[in-house]
Amino acid sequence: ISGPALDMRLLVIAMLPHVHKLNGTNISDTERLQADIFYLKYFSLQYFAQEASFKTIHNRYEDLVKEYGEPAKAAPKISSIKENSIVVKIAKPDGKEIEKSC
């Protein structure tokens, strides 16, 4: 899954903390963390604007802020999970490298 479909999946996972399976696929702890962080960043501008309806619509947001902390105030609204990815390189003792995108 990529693009808007992945973004929607992550938003749904973040909004439903007690769901462990979505569309027949298990939700791993890593995917849950990724979803929570994506959700925090995605709605950060609305959160800081303190729109009256924000807390009603995004009642899970405060729980995530308590768990992970507030996103940076300058955090831009992201449009896809790809913009939120990092690349991790691991150097093994034998000199080989492993590269993973998260």
Side-chain angles (χ1 to χ4, degrees), residues 57-101:
I57 296 168
H58 300 282
N59 57 343
R60 174 117 167 88
Y61 204 91
E62 284 296 324
D63 294 337
L64 294 175
V65 167
K66 288 176 187 171
E67 187 171 346
Y68 301 110
E70 280 189 343
K73 284 192 178 190
K77 185 173 179 182
I78 56 175
S79 60
S80 74
I81 188 64
K82 187 174 182 181
E83 295 175 24
N84 194 36
S85 296
I86 61 169
V87 175
V88 177
K89 290 184 180 179
I90 301 170
K92 295 171 48 177
D94 62 5
K96 294 180 182 177
E97 284 188 352
I98 300 172
E99 187 173 306
K100 293 284 183 179
S101 206

